[in-house]
Amino acid sequence: MNANKNKYQFGDLLARHHLKKTEPRLRVLSMLASKNFATSQPDLEDVMLDIDRGTLYRILNAFEEKGIIHKVFDLNGTANYALCKSSCEENHHHDEHLHFNCVVCNNVYCLDDLDLPALNLPAGFQPMNLSLSATGICPKCGKKSDITEN
Amino acid sequence: MNANKNKYQFGDLLARHHLKKTEPRLRVLSMLASKNFATSQPDLEDVMLDIDRGTLYRILNAFEEKGIIHKVFDLNGTANYALCKSSCEENHHHDEHLHFNCVVCNNVYCLDDLDLPALNLPAGFQPMNLSLSATGICPKCGKKSDITEN
DNA sequence: TTAAGTGCAAAATCTTTGCAAATGT
DNA sequence: ACATTTGCAAAGATTTTGCACTTAA
């Protein structure tokens, strides 16, 4: 079963980061794992009404500090969270990263495995991390409007 | 005189957008114009203690709606504001844009006139706006640490 | 003169924090 | 059994809003 497999994986993941395997944490992890785009704190809260808001903040902050998830800001400046890919789980995050912000559904897609073209910055700027973010229409919303037009 | 010249320019700018030329607005404009990086609301507030906080929010929102300034979020998710370049003053913002986020001073530099390399997105994603954001060390902070190392 | 903008104060949000009870190891 | 984590409630911070007064056009 996938759910069980994930539970093991998540338990492991938490253990590796010296975090106790608690129910709220596992639920946050599986929620984030189930989506291919980043989820905002309000959205998480809506789905997990029974988890205390303060606890949710603490969980998200802890996960972020440990590098389990990363935070991106959407068009409204709201923090959205996504699981880090395995390659950035241990301390250093990916160097290059594309975030696609859909103007319709407002979801943030993390398109990690895209090779970004080289970039030449003005003199003196020392980049540590590049992230390209695009706004536009995501496949899901693009499809919807096609249908509407029929 | 530069100050006077700016006042005229800003008055004009406001008029073009059907906004009254008020003192708080002119001060916000000249503050933003004086920097080559985006300024956060808290920073603006600190400098302009005598302008009411609510008014400041309203001014910034009005400017943003009119396309006079644009908003970018820094590493902490705080909104930072910068004057739009002339090319994006009228309604549509620049398509391509580089924001450089300094991890030391936390300033956000808008490096507009940089040509971004072409990018190929996964199928279905329709980009409307691309913006590359980098984190790293800005020239000013890079220089400081050089000196410290001597 | 009058519509728009400001300042002040109150409300609505959003986020963090302290502490006692519950939970994982 | 003990250190962590949770839930609840209170405190802080941030942002928005209503309204009377002021100001630019």
Side-chain angles (χ1 to χ4, degrees):
Chain A
M1 260 92 256
N2 221 338
N4 267 330
K5 193 180 144 212
N6 278 339
K7 251 189 189 167
Y8 280 118
Q9 290 178 339
F10 293 149
D12 244 43
L13 181 58
L14 291 172
R16 276 207 297 284
H17 291 287
H18 311 291
L19 295 172
K20 284 190 186 170
K21 180 175 66 175
T22 67
E23 215 234 316
R25 283 175 178 166
L26 290 173
R27 280 172 63 198
V28 169
L29 285 176
S30 64
M31 166 90 186
L32 292 178
S34 73
K35 305 207 168 187
N36 64 337
F37 49 80
T39 311
S40 65
Q41 192 280 333
D43 282 357
L44 285 167
E45 202 180 311
D46 285 350
V47 178
M48 301 186 276
L49 290 168
D50 50 330
I51 297 181
D52 175 69
R53 187 176 297 184
T55 300
L56 192 47
Y57 278 109
R58 276 187 284 222
I59 289 177
L60 293 170
N61 288 337
F63 284 2
E64 205 206 346
E65 271 176 24
K66 298 290 187 176
I68 297 175
I69 62 178
H70 62 266
K71 175 156 64 167
V72 299
F73 296 99
D74 66 19
L75 297 169
N76 307 312
T78 305
N80 285 46
Y81 298 91
L83 277 185
C84 286
K85 294 291 184 300
S86 53
S87 51
C88 66
E89 263 165 25
E90 49 265 352
N91 278 333
H92 66 298
H93 283 239
H94 248 329
D95 275 327
E96 313 196 325
H97 218 98
L98 171 63
H99 292 135
F100 190 97
N101 235 283
C102 179
V103 295
V104 181
C105 63
N106 207 19
N107 286 333
V108 179
Y109 295 81
C110 301
L111 307 175
D112 291 293
D113 19 61
L114 207 77
D115 51 348
L116 300 184
L119 176 83
N120 45 352
L121 289 165
F125 288 92
Q126 304 165 38
M128 293 162 50
N129 202 303
L130 292 175
S131 96
L132 184 61
S133 67
T135 61
I137 301 175
C138 75
K140 204 173 51 181
C141 294
K143 222 164 200 169
K144 270 188 211 137
S145 65
D146 284 353
I147 293 168
T148 322
E149 277 162 21
N150 282 346
Chain B
M1 263 88 260
N2 221 339
N4 268 330
K5 193 180 146 211
N6 279 338
K7 253 190 188 165
Y8 280 117
Q9 290 178 337
F10 294 149
D12 245 41
L13 181 58
L14 291 172
R16 276 207 298 285
H17 292 285
H18 312 292
L19 294 172
K20 283 189 186 171
K21 180 174 66 175
T22 67
E23 215 234 317
R25 285 176 176 168
L26 290 173
R27 281 171 63 199
V28 169
L29 285 176
S30 65
M31 166 90 186
L32 292 180
S34 72
K35 306 207 166 187
N36 63 338
F37 49 81
T39 311
S40 65
Q41 191 279 331
D43 282 356
L44 286 167
E45 201 180 312
D46 285 350
V47 179
M48 300 185 277
L49 290 168
D50 49 329
I51 297 181
D52 174 68
R53 186 176 297 183
T55 299
L56 191 47
Y57 278 108
R58 276 187 284 224
I59 289 176
L60 293 170
N61 288 337
F63 284 1
E64 205 206 345
E65 272 177 24
K66 298 289 188 178
I68 296 175
I69 61 179
H70 62 267
K71 175 157 64 166
V72 298
F73 296 98
D74 67 18
L75 296 170
N76 306 313
T78 304
N80 285 48
Y81 298 90
L83 278 185
C84 286
K85 295 291 184 303
S86 54
S87 51
C88 65
E89 262 167 24
E90 50 267 350
N91 279 333
H92 67 296
H93 282 240
H94 249 327
D95 275 327
E96 313 196 326
H97 219 96
L98 171 62
H99 292 134
F100 189 96
N101 236 282
C102 180
V103 296
V104 181
C105 62
N106 206 19
N107 286 333
V108 179
Y109 296 81
C110 300
L111 307 175
D112 291 293
D113 19 61
L114 206 76
D115 52 346
L116 300 184
L119 175 82
N120 45 351
L121 289 165
F125 287 93
Q126 304 167 36
M128 292 161 53
N129 204 301
L130 291 176
S131 94
L132 183 62
S133 67
T135 62
I137 300 174
C138 75
K140 204 174 53 181
C141 294
K143 219 163 201 168
K144 269 186 211 142
S145 65
D146 284 352
I147 294 168
T148 322
E149 277 162 20
N150 282 347

